[in-house]
Amino acid sequence: MSSVDLAARIPNNVGLADDRRLQRALESWLPRYLDWWRELGPVEHQDHDVFLRTATDVGQEGWAHFDYVRMPDYRWGIFLAEQADDRRIAFGDRRGEPVWQEVPGEHRSELRRLLVVQGDTEPASVEQQRSLCRTAPSLYDMRNLFQVNVEEGRHLWAMVYLLHRYFGRDGRDEADELLERHSGDVDNPRILGAFNEPTPDWLSFYFFTYFTDRDGKFQLASLRESAFDPLSRTCDFMLKEEAHHMFVGATGVGRVVQRTAELMREHDTDDVRPFGGIDVATLQRYLNFHFSVSLDLFGAETSTNAANYFAAGLKGRFQEERRADDHRLLDATRTVPTVADEAIGAREVPSLAALNETLRDDYIADCAKGLERWNRTLAPVGAELRLPHVGFHRAMGAFRDHHVSPDGRLLPEDEWAAGVPSWLPTPADEAFVASLMRPVTEPGRMAGWVAPPSVGINGKPIEYEYVRGA
Ligand code: BYC
């Protein structure tokens, strides 16, 4: 394991200085990345000092440094978690064999595909969020947005490193294409559906970081199990940064919920819009949207791709080693949902084929935890948020061509159409939420639709000037 070289043009702990070809290749990718960042990263404040966390090490303690940085000067580095001694493949046909430090020829294209799909989401989210800095509800929030953005940029670097280092010319071409596809582009869109949806307002941003970044947590945790050790170590370190992104989502929605509950109590009404709050029904519609598009990110309920990845040792399950089974799944079965004879049912399939569904189940259980917390805030005012049925508003898998209500009823077209305005954000909701999006840039002040956070960042007070000169 190389030590951390922070003085290099590209900070890294992968011994870049010892591999001149790779170093030159990545150094020639750097200006293209910076062009992309300037063109499609945050629309404003690029030249302002932002109080940011920069990864500087991979150890248990002191892995990051906080200071004011102009975003284009952020040190996007390449960091892999420390290599474990004698790590063994934890699942699949080759369970128990030593992990790989190079890519086996027979798994080259599958691994490349996984890296490209993962890598594609990172810049996509930066593109989706680029205008939000114009309407940040506080400097604290603006700083968190930028933190998320620069780290998604670093996660792109993580995948680009692996593509350049292990996949030769194909890898370099793929790395270039990661900067050429763009979120929502009609001709050259991002690969996965949710990453082509706009993130036009901060309510969407909080729900996106809660639900969609959480897909990232589960996918990265599955890739961390990979027999391809450099990928495993990369994902391990990415997950450290990812935790903050979900914190932004969980506390962001939590703060909106808190403000809504305060206004409901104060004015003794559910209709808090006239008082500048976001009513629970609107929150529920945004939640329904972001949850359902995030469920699609796990793919179809049964997938030969997923079965092959697992058998080959490329992608495991969430917390693979904590599971009490044979980690091969050769004889195991489970049920997956189906829609047949105009009813939602279940069918038994080999567990190996249903790994996307297993990961989706784990994800849903994790999503539910945030709702429990938010509902503790809402309970005293007699309100509640719920996760919609897994079949609601789905574009992938068994429910794709069916209409399912949030409470899990299969609906004919006309009933679905009639229900949509109460289940998914309407143009009027979007216009109302947009009307609340007025920037607040005075340190310590918050927009009226969201409660202040309970603490600031890295021990700083809430009224700290997190973005200077904004
Ligand atoms: N939209 O066999 P299936 C993150 C494609 S988020 C469009 O079920 P598979 C982050 C699929 O690719 C984490 N297409 O698929 C969060 C396949 O196409 P091909 C990102 C979709 O392969 C916030 C076809 O449909 N990482 O990090 O079993 C901010 C058949 O489907 C979608 C990963 O996803 C969709 N939603 O599973 C920033 C991990 N879903 O191959 C970052 C790597 C599926 O027939 N990716 N398709 O052309 C994977 O493990 C798998 O590719 C998937 C799909 C789980 C995504």
Side-chain angles (χ1 to χ4, degrees):
M1 171 84 173
S2 297
S3 57
V4 176
D5 183 355
L6 285 179
R9 244 181 111 198
I10 303 168
N12 70 90
N13 70 344
V14 294
L16 213 50
D18 302 330
D19 186 341
R20 300 308 294 265
R21 254 186 92 201
L22 178 62
Q23 186 181 25
R24 269 201 306 277
L26 287 170
E27 285 183 356
S28 78
W29 194 79
L30 175 63
R32 273 179 274 165
Y33 170 81
L34 286 174
D35 287 347
W36 166 82
W37 177 270
R38 285 223 174 255
E39 198 188 324
L40 289 170
V43 290
E44 284 175 9
H45 309 294
Q46 292 268 7
D47 293 320
H48 287 145
D49 288 330
V50 185
F51 187 69
L52 290 178
R53 169 176 84 177
T54 304
T56 54
D57 202 348
V58 294
Q60 283 305 311
E61 275 154 45
W63 62 273
H65 171 76
F66 286 80
D67 207 346
Y68 281 112
V69 187
R70 288 165 65 254
M71 283 183 280
D73 300 337
Y74 186 81
R75 310 288 320 277
W76 283 284
I78 299 165
F79 296 101
L80 272 60
E82 313 243 357
Q83 190 170 333
D85 292 337
D86 195 32
R87 184 173 164 250
R88 303 259 154 183
I89 302 175
F91 59 95
D93 297 343
R94 295 167 74 172
R95 174 171 152 80
E97 293 179 19
V99 293
W100 320 316
Q101 299 306 330
E102 295 293 331
V103 177
E106 70 269 32
H107 299 313
R108 209 180 144 79
S109 66
E110 285 162 307
L111 266 173
R112 194 183 59 209
R113 176 76 187 156
L114 283 170
L115 298 184
V116 167
V117 172
Q118 179 62 52
D120 190 69
T121 63
E122 315 289 2
S125 67
V126 175
E127 294 168 356
Q128 288 171 293
Q129 296 163 13
R130 64 189 302 259
S131 299
L132 290 172
C133 56
R134 289 203 169 118
T135 55
S138 71
L139 283 188
Y140 164 92
D141 287 283
M142 191 194 286
R143 176 263 167 219
N144 282 347
L145 166 72
F146 292 153
Q147 184 70 59
V148 168
N149 291 161
V150 292
E151 286 176 350
E152 300 302 6
R154 206 199 68 71
H155 292 180
L156 170 62
W157 271 97
M159 292 302 129
V160 164
Y161 163 71
L162 294 175
L163 287 167
H164 270 251
R165 164 71 179 78
Y166 296 96
F167 294 86
R169 190 185 177 102
D170 300 354
R172 291 196 292 279
D173 290 346
E174 294 283 12
D176 289 346
E177 284 171 33
L178 287 169
L179 296 178
E180 284 157 19
R181 283 185 293 273
H182 295 142
S183 177
D185 189 319
V186 265
D187 299 320
N188 201 6
R190 292 296 176 182
I191 297 170
L192 299 176
F195 293 91
N196 289 302
E197 299 287 346
T199 311
D201 56 64
W202 279 76
L203 187 59
S204 303
F205 175 64
Y206 292 148
F207 277 118
F208 181 96
T209 41
Y210 188 78
F211 287 114
T212 308
D213 277 86
R214 193 170 306 275
D215 169 49
K217 166 182 164 181
F218 279 80
Q219 298 292 352
L220 290 172
S222 305
L223 294 173
R224 174 168 59 183
E225 303 291 338
S226 184
F228 178 41
D229 201 42
L231 173 61
S232 166
R233 289 159 51 210
T234 301
C235 292
D236 193 344
F237 190 67
M238 289 164 78
L239 280 161
K240 247 183 182 162
E241 291 166 315
E242 198 67 29
H244 174 71
H245 307 186
M246 276 167 297
F247 164 88
V248 169
T251 56
V253 177
R255 289 162 52 210
V256 180
V257 162
Q258 187 186 329
R259 186 69 187 128
T260 299
E262 282 164 12
L263 289 170
M264 286 171 78
R265 205 174 300 118
E266 199 179 320
H267 299 282
D268 194 21
T269 176
D270 293 347
D271 183 13
V272 294
R273 285 191 183 195
F275 311 105
I278 307 178
D279 51 297
V280 175
T282 304
L283 295 178
Q284 181 68 61
R285 286 192 284 274
Y286 274 70
L287 185 158
N288 289 349
F289 175 77
H290 288 276
F291 179 63
S292 56
V293 297
S294 300
L295 289 182
D296 279 338
L297 293 173
F298 292 83
E301 290 78 10
T302 56
S303 159
T304 37
N305 285 345
N308 292 339
Y309 296 154
F310 186 85
L314 308 181
K315 184 180 175 194
R317 289 170 293 174
F318 183 63
Q319 299 184 330
E320 182 65 48
E321 274 158 281
R322 291 202 202 162
R323 291 172 188 257
D325 58 27
D326 70 352
H327 302 278
R328 285 196 166 88
L329 301 178
L330 294 178
D331 305 313
T333 60
R334 60 156 289 166
T335 57
V336 294
T338 52
V339 185
D341 301 329
E342 291 173 33
I344 297 174
R347 70 188 165 108
E348 188 139 334
V349 296
S351 299
L352 204 50
L355 286 164
N356 286 346
E357 190 66 3
T358 299
L359 194 60
R360 184 164 25 237
D361 286 348
D362 294 338
Y363 165 83
I364 293 171
D366 203 46
C367 287
K369 291 182 193 158
L371 273 90
E372 271 173 38
R373 277 195 302 277
W374 304 333
N375 283 338
R376 279 202 287 277
T377 308
L378 289 173
V381 290
E384 187 185 22
L385 290 167
R386 289 186 191 175
L387 289 179
H389 186 271
V390 71
F392 171 75
H393 186 237
R394 291 291 305 283
M396 288 292 303
F399 297 105
R400 197 177 99 170
D401 298 318
H402 301 279
H403 295 313
V404 179
S405 64
D407 60 0
R409 284 171 299 122
L410 207 53
L411 300 179
E413 182 71 43
D414 55 340
E415 272 186 56
W416 166 258
V420 163
S422 31
W423 299 330
L424 288 170
T426 61
D429 291 337
E430 285 160 4
F432 171 68
V433 171
S435 76
L436 297 177
M437 297 296 124
R438 303 222 189 85
V440 177
T441 52
E442 193 184 310
R445 268 199 56 217
M446 296 286 139
W449 54 271
V450 58
S454 51
V455 286
I457 295 294
N458 198 38
K460 300 288 185 217
I462 293 165
E463 56 279 7
Y464 192 65
E465 194 174 5
Y466 288 105
V467 183
R468 274 193 195 138

